[in-house]
Amino acid sequence: MDYDEIFTERVERLKDAGNYREFTDLERHSGEYPRATNHSLGREITIWCNNDYLGMGQHPEVADAICRTVKEIGAGAGGTRNIAGTSHPLVELEDELASLHNKEAALVFTSGYVTNSTVLSTLGRLPNMVLFSDSLNHASMIEGVRFGKCERHIFRHNDVEHLEELLQSVDIGRPKLIAFESVYSMDGDIGPIKEFCDLAEKYNALTYLDEVHAVGLYGEHGGGVAEREGQSDRVDVIQGTLGKAFGLIGGYIAANSLLVDYVRCYGSGFIFTTAMPPATAAGAVASVRHVRKDVQRRITLHFNVNLLKSKIREAGLPLMETPTHIIPISVCDPNLCRRASNLLMEKYGIFVQHINYPTVPFGTERLRITPTPLHTEEMAEQLVEALIDVFDELGLRK
């Protein structure tokens, strides 16, 4: 068996389809975000597609907390929390996250992906459980639903009526869970949280809300869309990340103490994984605390988002309208999307990554732009001018 031939064939297939993944060798400059160095090209660039939505990954309070903790405690966690114990910064972080979402308890994982995969599969193994999942849920949620190995139903994206039809097909006495997101990261739309909670109450179901692209950005204290819409108390499990608006890495759930304890005791993706390093946890505590009180940072973010959307509309570029901070620009061709991204980088020093299959369906390829509070109006004008030139060069505005 020639395994190299198999691997080569599979990789070449991706290249031919325009879906081969390439990583850009970037070095961000602390205190100068969104500026960075592209080591591949040897030039300075401006980043327009990072998920560090608030620039907290370089905030002095976060950096100081990390450095101080490394000096005081050390670098690593030493093992799983069962074997090595739990570092005190991690205890503080879980308390802070529970408070952020007004829940009894929180549980921190090594990533948002591990959180979704572990928690949904663990809840799916409850006796006689039925899972209902939005058709556009993230890959980590899909994996968790599958690993639960229980009966599952997929409802059309954000379709309240279709979800109710599926709920009606299941015995009212069976345990059920509805899994959906608040902000969908590629289309930038928002799930109908209130309506899904109404159905959960009507049909005796738990709700599981992925807020990874919303925590820190929405709500009075950055608790997400559920906080903004006054629905946090109605959602049974809020799942979030520390790797986006909070600028670090890690995932978590916030829920009542019994549900959290069940996942802690039965979730293999939690039990058998080395714990988050204490310095990372301390940095996350500093970030969450700062973001909760820094209302102006959120205001500036949304001002910059609306400003850039307005400039893109005025330029006649194919903006996909969204009610969120996600700004997709439609291309609808994998190779042209890749070429547009490359031209922006090579000619203008602008980093906007192309989004192709399997992240989005075939034929819906797009550029995904995410402004931050640290981008300036001058940067926005430079971006739009570069987009106009690139789209004209590639014939993408016809």
Side-chain angles (χ1 to χ4, degrees), residues 39-349:
H39 284 287
S40 301
L41 298 178
R43 67 176 296 178
E44 298 299 294
I45 66 162
T46 303
I47 297 174
W48 276 100
C49 60
N50 198 291
N51 283 348
D52 187 357
Y53 295 132
L54 296 175
M56 290 302 297
Q58 298 184 14
H59 196 281
E61 292 179 17
V62 176
D64 289 347
I66 291 172
C67 294
R68 182 176 63 252
T69 305
V70 168
K71 291 178 180 178
E72 294 175 354
I73 297 178
T80 66
R81 292 170 70 171
N82 183 57
I83 290 174
T86 295
S87 68
H88 186 63
L90 194 44
V91 174
E92 290 184 305
L93 177 58
E94 289 176 340
D95 288 344
E96 191 70 30
L97 292 168
S99 173
L100 172 66
H101 296 291
N102 196 31
K103 298 295 184 184
E104 292 178 352
L107 192 65
V108 168
F109 297 75
T110 51
S111 73
Y113 194 104
V114 172
T115 307
N116 275 333
S117 177
T118 299
V119 178
L120 285 169
S121 62
T122 304
L123 293 174
R125 289 194 292 272
L126 287 169
N128 214 24
M129 172 61 84
V130 186
L131 285 175
F132 299 83
S133 180
D134 189 287
S135 61
L136 291 189
N137 277 343
H138 189 265
S140 58
M141 299 177 74
I142 295 171
E143 181 175 280
V145 170
R146 288 174 176 168
F147 285 178
K149 297 182 179 179
C150 64
E151 181 181 336
R152 59 184 183 267
H153 299 273
I154 312 302
F155 58 91
R156 290 187 293 271
H157 178 53
N158 283 349
D159 192 326
V160 177
E161 291 183 1
H162 187 219
L163 173 59
E164 181 162 25
E165 290 175 12
L166 295 173
L167 287 165
Q168 289 173 339
S169 70
V170 177
D171 190 301
I172 190 70
R174 291 184 65 181
K176 309 173 196 67
L177 184 145
I178 303 168
F180 58 104
E181 301 182 35
S182 58
V183 175
Y184 287 82
S185 64
M186 291 301 127
D187 289 344
D189 56 341
I190 294 177
I193 299 174
K194 178 185 181 302
E195 290 78 2
F196 285 166
C197 287
D198 290 343
L199 290 179
E201 292 175 1
K202 183 177 180 179
Y203 293 98
N204 192 30
L206 295 172
T207 47
Y208 183 99
L209 175 62
D210 178 313
E211 287 258 42
V212 297
H213 290 276
V215 289
L217 308 180
Y218 300 90
E220 182 180 357
H221 306 100
V225 177
E227 182 193 32
R228 185 188 70 179
E229 298 183 359
Q231 301 296 311
S232 294
D233 291 344
R234 302 182 70 200
V235 177
D236 295 295
V237 185
I238 294 177
Q239 184 265 345
T241 184
L242 303 165
K244 294 181 172 58
F246 295 126
L248 289 124
I249 189 170
Y252 65 89
I253 58 167
N256 71 47
S257 57
L258 282 174
L259 190 150
V260 168
D261 201 31
Y262 165 73
V263 174
R264 184 183 66 84
C265 292
Y266 285 91
S268 59
F270 172 82
I271 296 168
F272 299 108
T273 301
T274 297
M276 174 184 286
T280 304
V285 171
S287 182
V288 175
R289 286 176 177 169
H290 182 92
V291 168
R292 291 182 72 176
K293 65 184 180 183
D294 192 354
V295 178
Q296 186 59 48
R297 189 169 287 252
R298 281 188 286 282
I299 292 173
T300 304
L301 166 74
H302 294 295
F303 176 85
N304 286 349
V305 167
N306 291 330
L307 177 69
L308 182 57
K309 285 181 179 179
S310 176
K311 291 180 181 296
I312 291 172
R313 289 189 198 99
E314 291 173 3
L317 293 162
L319 173 69
M320 297 169 61
E321 294 288 352
T322 78
T324 65
H325 62 286
I326 308 295
I327 304 180
I329 299 182
S330 181
V331 177
C332 300
D333 180 281
N335 289 302
L336 288 175
C337 200
R338 178 185 299 275
R339 288 179 61 191
S341 178
N342 290 343
L343 282 172
L344 286 168
M345 177 67 82
E346 294 164 4
K347 295 181 65 174
Y348 303 97

Side-chain angles (χ1 to χ4, degrees), residues 344-393:
L344 286 168
M345 177 67 82
E346 294 164 4
K347 295 181 65 174
Y348 303 97
I350 291 174
F351 181 41
V352 176
Q353 186 70 341
H354 54 281
I355 307 296
N356 288 3
Y357 178 85
T359 306
V360 296
F362 286 115
T364 68
E365 294 81 9
R366 80 271 322 249
L367 299 175
R368 178 181 178 273
I369 300 170
T370 52
T372 73
L374 305 179
H375 284 92
T376 65
E377 184 170 0
E378 181 182 5
M379 291 176 181
E381 291 171 352
Q382 292 169 349
L383 169 64
V384 173
E385 289 173 3
L387 285 168
I388 291 170
D389 290 345
V390 167
F391 272 57
D392 284 345
E393 180 174 341

